[in-house]
mmCIF file of all heavy atoms in Angstrom:
data_model
loop_
_atom_site.group_PDB
_atom_site.id
_atom_site.type_symbol
_atom_site.label_atom_id
_atom_site.label_comp_id
_atom_site.label_asym_id
_atom_site.label_seq_id
_atom_site.Cartn_x
_atom_site.Cartn_y
_atom_site.Cartn_z
ATOM 1 N N ASP M 1 27.225 219.655 -57.294
ATOM 2 C CA ASP M 1 27.254 221.117 -57.244
ATOM 3 C C ASP M 1 26.643 221.757 -58.488
ATOM 4 O O ASP M 1 26.189 222.893 -58.435
ATOM 5 C CB ASP M 1 28.697 221.622 -57.107
ATOM 6 C CG ASP M 1 29.364 221.123 -55.842
ATOM 7 O OD1 ASP M 1 28.652 220.939 -54.831
ATOM 8 O OD2 ASP M 1 30.585 220.902 -55.870
ATOM 9 N N PHE M 2 26.655 221.049 -59.598
ATOM 10 C CA PHE M 2 26.230 221.607 -60.878
ATOM 11 C C PHE M 2 24.798 222.140 -60.848
ATOM 12 O O PHE M 2 24.531 223.254 -61.282
ATOM 13 C CB PHE M 2 26.386 220.551 -61.984
ATOM 14 C CG PHE M 2 25.815 220.956 -63.308
ATOM 15 C CD1 PHE M 2 26.398 221.983 -64.046
ATOM 16 C CD2 PHE M 2 24.699 220.317 -63.816
ATOM 17 C CE1 PHE M 2 25.874 222.363 -65.278
ATOM 18 C CE2 PHE M 2 24.174 220.688 -65.041
ATOM 19 C CZ PHE M 2 24.759 221.713 -65.773
ATOM 20 N N PHE M 3 23.875 221.359 -60.335
ATOM 21 C CA PHE M 3 22.470 221.765 -60.367
ATOM 22 C C PHE M 3 22.184 222.960 -59.452
ATOM 23 O O PHE M 3 21.614 223.955 -59.912
ATOM 24 C CB PHE M 3 21.559 220.572 -60.066
ATOM 25 C CG PHE M 3 21.679 219.503 -61.112
ATOM 26 C CD1 PHE M 3 22.328 218.315 -60.847
ATOM 27 C CD2 PHE M 3 21.175 219.696 -62.386
ATOM 28 C CE1 PHE M 3 22.470 217.341 -61.820
ATOM 29 C CE2 PHE M 3 21.293 218.726 -63.373
ATOM 30 C CZ PHE M 3 21.945 217.546 -63.083
ATOM 31 N N PRO M 4 22.571 222.932 -58.172
ATOM 32 C CA PRO M 4 22.313 224.105 -57.312
ATOM 33 C C PRO M 4 22.994 225.376 -57.832
ATOM 34 O O PRO M 4 22.421 226.468 -57.751
ATOM 35 C CB PRO M 4 22.884 223.699 -55.959
ATOM 36 C CG PRO M 4 22.926 222.221 -55.971
ATOM 37 C CD PRO M 4 23.127 221.819 -57.397
ATOM 38 N N GLU M 5 24.189 225.242 -58.378
ATOM 39 C CA GLU M 5 24.901 226.416 -58.907
ATOM 40 C C GLU M 5 24.171 227.052 -60.088
ATOM 41 O O GLU M 5 24.412 228.205 -60.427
ATOM 42 C CB GLU M 5 26.318 226.032 -59.343
ATOM 43 C CG GLU M 5 27.240 225.752 -58.179
ATOM 44 C CD GLU M 5 28.588 225.209 -58.621
ATOM 45 O OE1 GLU M 5 28.795 224.956 -59.836
ATOM 46 O OE2 GLU M 5 29.446 225.012 -57.740
ATOM 47 N N ASN M 6 23.280 226.281 -60.715
ATOM 48 C CA ASN M 6 22.561 226.766 -61.887
ATOM 49 C C ASN M 6 21.064 226.903 -61.647
ATOM 50 O O ASN M 6 20.265 226.881 -62.583
ATOM 51 C CB ASN M 6 22.854 225.849 -63.080
ATOM 52 C CG ASN M 6 24.282 226.002 -63.544
ATOM 53 O OD1 ASN M 6 24.620 227.002 -64.163
ATOM 54 N ND2 ASN M 6 25.134 225.052 -63.209
ATOM 55 N N GLY M 7 20.682 227.059 -60.373
ATOM 56 C CA GLY M 7 19.297 227.380 -60.044
ATOM 57 C C GLY M 7 18.347 226.208 -59.980
ATOM 58 O O GLY M 7 17.133 226.394 -60.081
ATOM 59 N N TRP M 8 18.854 225.018 -59.801
ATOM 60 C CA TRP M 8 18.015 223.834 -59.686
ATOM 61 C C TRP M 8 18.244 223.205 -58.317
ATOM 62 O O TRP M 8 19.291 223.377 -57.707
ATOM 63 C CB TRP M 8 18.369 222.819 -60.772
ATOM 64 C CG TRP M 8 17.975 223.252 -62.152
ATOM 65 C CD1 TRP M 8 18.468 224.329 -62.844
ATOM 66 C CD2 TRP M 8 17.024 222.640 -62.994
ATOM 67 N NE1 TRP M 8 17.873 224.415 -64.067
ATOM 68 C CE2 TRP M 8 16.982 223.386 -64.200
ATOM 69 C CE3 TRP M 8 16.194 221.532 -62.878
ATOM 70 C CZ2 TRP M 8 16.152 223.048 -65.253
ATOM 71 C CZ3 TRP M 8 15.370 221.193 -63.943
ATOM 72 C CH2 TRP M 8 15.346 221.943 -65.111
ATOM 73 N N GLN M 9 17.241 222.457 -57.862
ATOM 74 C CA GLN M 9 17.378 221.764 -56.586
ATOM 75 C C GLN M 9 17.126 220.272 -56.772
ATOM 76 O O GLN M 9 16.262 219.870 -57.555
ATOM 77 C CB GLN M 9 16.412 222.327 -55.552
ATOM 78 C CG GLN M 9 14.947 222.209 -55.927
ATOM 79 C CD GLN M 9 14.058 222.933 -54.938
ATOM 80 O OE1 GLN M 9 14.500 223.379 -53.901
ATOM 81 N NE2 GLN M 9 12.778 223.069 -55.274
ATOM 82 N N VAL M 10 17.910 219.486 -56.072
ATOM 83 C CA VAL M 10 17.708 218.045 -56.075
ATOM 84 C C VAL M 10 16.617 217.751 -55.052
ATOM 85 O O VAL M 10 16.792 217.973 -53.858
ATOM 86 C CB VAL M 10 19.009 217.294 -55.743
ATOM 87 C CG1 VAL M 10 18.759 215.794 -55.673
ATOM 88 C CG2 VAL M 10 20.090 217.624 -56.767
ATOM 89 N N VAL M 11 15.481 217.289 -55.550
ATOM 90 C CA VAL M 11 14.332 217.006 -54.696
ATOM 91 C C VAL M 11 14.476 215.638 -54.038
ATOM 92 O O VAL M 11 14.074 215.427 -52.901
ATOM 93 C CB VAL M 11 13.017 217.080 -55.516
ATOM 94 C CG1 VAL M 11 11.807 216.721 -54.674
ATOM 95 C CG2 VAL M 11 12.857 218.454 -56.139
ATOM 96 N N ARG M 12 15.060 214.723 -54.772
ATOM 97 C CA ARG M 12 15.259 213.373 -54.255
ATOM 98 C C ARG M 12 16.450 212.750 -54.973
ATOM 99 O O ARG M 12 16.651 212.973 -56.162
ATOM 100 C CB ARG M 12 14.007 212.525 -54.479
ATOM 101 C CG ARG M 12 14.132 211.122 -53.953
ATOM 102 C CD ARG M 12 12.860 210.353 -54.060
ATOM 103 N NE ARG M 12 13.095 208.983 -53.617
ATOM 104 C CZ ARG M 12 12.158 208.083 -53.487
ATOM 105 N NH1 ARG M 12 10.915 208.398 -53.768
ATOM 106 N NH2 ARG M 12 12.450 206.869 -53.087
ATOM 107 N N SER M 13 17.209 211.973 -54.239
ATOM 108 C CA SER M 13 18.337 211.263 -54.824
ATOM 109 C C SER M 13 18.397 209.875 -54.203
ATOM 110 O O SER M 13 18.385 209.733 -52.989
ATOM 111 C CB SER M 13 19.638 212.018 -54.556
ATOM 112 O OG SER M 13 20.718 211.392 -55.195
ATOM 113 N N ASP M 14 18.412 208.872 -55.057
ATOM 114 C CA ASP M 14 18.505 207.495 -54.584
ATOM 115 C C ASP M 14 19.686 206.824 -55.271
ATOM 116 O O ASP M 14 19.915 207.002 -56.465
ATOM 117 C CB ASP M 14 17.231 206.708 -54.893
ATOM 118 C CG ASP M 14 16.050 207.178 -54.064
ATOM 119 O OD1 ASP M 14 16.194 207.297 -52.841
ATOM 120 O OD2 ASP M 14 14.984 207.439 -54.649
ATOM 121 N N GLU M 15 20.423 206.049 -54.488
ATOM 122 C CA GLU M 15 21.581 205.349 -55.014
ATOM 123 C C GLU M 15 21.368 203.854 -54.867
ATOM 124 O O GLU M 15 21.016 203.373 -53.792
ATOM 125 C CB GLU M 15 22.822 205.787 -54.239
ATOM 126 C CG GLU M 15 24.107 205.236 -54.785
ATOM 127 C CD GLU M 15 25.307 205.776 -54.034
ATOM 128 O OE1 GLU M 15 25.828 206.827 -54.452
ATOM 129 O OE2 GLU M 15 25.690 205.152 -53.034
ATOM 130 N N LEU M 16 21.552 203.158 -55.954
ATOM 131 C CA LEU M 16 21.434 201.706 -55.960
ATOM 132 C C LEU M 16 22.829 201.123 -56.087
ATOM 133 O O LEU M 16 23.559 201.439 -57.035
ATOM 134 C CB LEU M 16 20.574 201.248 -57.141
ATOM 135 C CG LEU M 16 20.562 199.751 -57.427
ATOM 136 C CD1 LEU M 16 19.849 199.006 -56.299
ATOM 137 C CD2 LEU M 16 19.902 199.464 -58.759
ATOM 138 N N LYS M 17 23.214 200.318 -55.124
ATOM 139 C CA LYS M 17 24.492 199.612 -55.209
ATOM 140 C C LYS M 17 24.201 198.205 -55.712
ATOM 141 O O LYS M 17 23.218 197.584 -55.316
ATOM 142 C CB LYS M 17 25.163 199.546 -53.845
ATOM 143 C CG LYS M 17 25.666 200.887 -53.360
ATOM 144 C CD LYS M 17 26.453 200.738 -52.064
ATOM 145 C CE LYS M 17 26.889 202.059 -51.533
ATOM 146 N NZ LYS M 17 27.928 202.703 -52.257
ATOM 147 N N TYR M 18 25.058 197.744 -56.604
ATOM 148 C CA TYR M 18 24.871 196.399 -57.125
ATOM 149 C C TYR M 18 26.228 195.762 -57.390
ATOM 150 O O TYR M 18 27.231 196.447 -57.526
ATOM 151 C CB TYR M 18 24.013 196.408 -58.393
ATOM 152 C CG TYR M 18 24.601 197.218 -59.531
ATOM 153 C CD1 TYR M 18 25.305 196.597 -60.551
ATOM 154 C CD2 TYR M 18 24.442 198.602 -59.590
ATOM 155 C CE1 TYR M 18 25.851 197.332 -61.593
ATOM 156 C CE2 TYR M 18 24.974 199.344 -60.630
ATOM 157 C CZ TYR M 18 25.682 198.699 -61.620
ATOM 158 O OH TYR M 18 26.222 199.428 -62.651
ATOM 159 N N GLU M 19 26.221 194.455 -57.430
ATOM 160 C CA GLU M 19 27.451 193.703 -57.671
ATOM 161 C C GLU M 19 27.314 192.902 -58.953
ATOM 162 O O GLU M 19 26.217 192.450 -59.299
ATOM 163 C CB GLU M 19 27.728 192.745 -56.510
ATOM 164 C CG GLU M 19 28.044 193.436 -55.208
ATOM 165 C CD GLU M 19 28.298 192.454 -54.076
ATOM 166 O OE1 GLU M 19 27.802 191.304 -54.154
ATOM 167 O OE2 GLU M 19 28.991 192.820 -53.125
ATOM 168 N N TYR M 20 28.413 192.721 -59.616
ATOM 169 C CA TYR M 20 28.449 191.892 -60.807
ATOM 170 C C TYR M 20 29.877 191.413 -61.011
ATOM 171 O O TYR M 20 30.816 191.937 -60.421
ATOM 172 C CB TYR M 20 27.940 192.648 -62.034
ATOM 173 C CG TYR M 20 28.776 193.850 -62.393
ATOM 174 C CD1 TYR M 20 29.745 193.771 -63.374
ATOM 175 C CD2 TYR M 20 28.622 195.058 -61.711
ATOM 176 C CE1 TYR M 20 30.525 194.868 -63.682
ATOM 177 C CE2 TYR M 20 29.401 196.152 -62.027
ATOM 178 C CZ TYR M 20 30.355 196.052 -63.015
ATOM 179 O OH TYR M 20 31.133 197.137 -63.304
ATOM 180 N N HIS M 21 30.022 190.414 -61.851
ATOM 181 C CA HIS M 21 31.356 189.908 -62.159
ATOM 182 C C HIS M 21 31.855 190.543 -63.445
ATOM 183 O O HIS M 21 31.137 190.648 -64.430
ATOM 184 C CB HIS M 21 31.343 188.387 -62.283
ATOM 185 C CG HIS M 21 31.265 187.705 -60.969
ATOM 186 N ND1 HIS M 21 30.069 187.371 -60.382
ATOM 187 C CD2 HIS M 21 32.233 187.327 -60.103
ATOM 188 C CE1 HIS M 21 30.304 186.800 -59.207
ATOM 189 N NE2 HIS M 21 31.608 186.760 -59.014
ATOM 190 N N THR M 22 33.089 190.965 -63.394
ATOM 191 C CA THR M 22 33.782 191.487 -64.560
ATOM 192 C C THR M 22 35.201 190.944 -64.477
ATOM 193 O O THR M 22 35.483 190.052 -63.681
ATOM 194 C CB THR M 22 33.745 193.028 -64.600
ATOM 195 O OG1 THR M 22 34.294 193.478 -65.838
ATOM 196 C CG2 THR M 22 34.460 193.660 -63.443
ATOM 197 N N SER M 23 36.085 191.480 -65.288
ATOM 198 C CA SER M 23 37.479 191.041 -65.222
ATOM 199 C C SER M 23 38.380 192.206 -65.610
ATOM 200 O O SER M 23 37.953 193.136 -66.301
ATOM 201 C CB SER M 23 37.715 189.867 -66.167
ATOM 202 O OG SER M 23 37.622 190.306 -67.513
ATOM 203 N N PRO M 24 39.627 192.153 -65.188
ATOM 204 C CA PRO M 24 40.572 193.176 -65.622
ATOM 205 C C PRO M 24 40.682 193.241 -67.146
ATOM 206 O O PRO M 24 40.810 194.318 -67.724
ATOM 207 C CB PRO M 24 41.890 192.739 -64.980
ATOM 208 C CG PRO M 24 41.461 191.967 -63.771
ATOM 209 C CD PRO M 24 40.208 191.246 -64.196
ATOM 210 N N ALA M 25 40.603 192.093 -67.806
ATOM 211 C CA ALA M 25 40.684 192.071 -69.269
ATOM 212 C C ALA M 25 39.506 192.813 -69.897
ATOM 213 O O ALA M 25 39.664 193.478 -70.933
ATOM 214 C CB ALA M 25 40.727 190.627 -69.771
ATOM 215 N N GLU M 26 38.329 192.721 -69.285
ATOM 216 C CA GLU M 26 37.169 193.452 -69.802
ATOM 217 C C GLU M 26 37.388 194.956 -69.674
ATOM 218 O O GLU M 26 37.070 195.718 -70.594
ATOM 219 C CB GLU M 26 35.898 193.035 -69.060
ATOM 220 C CG GLU M 26 34.662 193.746 -69.573
ATOM 221 C CD GLU M 26 33.408 193.375 -68.809
ATOM 222 O OE1 GLU M 26 33.391 192.349 -68.097
ATOM 223 O OE2 GLU M 26 32.424 194.137 -68.924
ATOM 224 N N PHE M 27 37.928 195.387 -68.546
ATOM 225 C CA PHE M 27 38.233 196.808 -68.365
ATOM 226 C C PHE M 27 39.232 197.258 -69.432
ATOM 227 O O PHE M 27 39.037 198.288 -70.089
ATOM 228 C CB PHE M 27 38.803 197.038 -66.958
ATOM 229 C CG PHE M 27 39.099 198.477 -66.664
ATOM 230 C CD1 PHE M 27 38.149 199.282 -66.068
ATOM 231 C CD2 PHE M 27 40.332 199.032 -66.986
ATOM 232 C CE1 PHE M 27 38.414 200.616 -65.786
ATOM 233 C CE2 PHE M 27 40.609 200.369 -66.716
ATOM 234 C CZ PHE M 27 39.646 201.161 -66.122
ATOM 235 N N LEU M 28 40.287 196.488 -69.619
ATOM 236 C CA LEU M 28 41.298 196.810 -70.617
ATOM 237 C C LEU M 28 40.686 196.905 -72.011
ATOM 238 O O LEU M 28 40.962 197.845 -72.761
ATOM 239 C CB LEU M 28 42.403 195.750 -70.588
ATOM 240 C CG LEU M 28 43.494 195.872 -71.646
ATOM 241 C CD1 LEU M 28 44.255 197.183 -71.495
ATOM 242 C CD2 LEU M 28 44.427 194.671 -71.563
#
């Protein structure tokens, strides 16, 4: 919402999903 509310338009949006290994301890 931020960009349109401030007079900008999203011309293109691409989302890349990816997987990786982490651990709860790394998050902590």
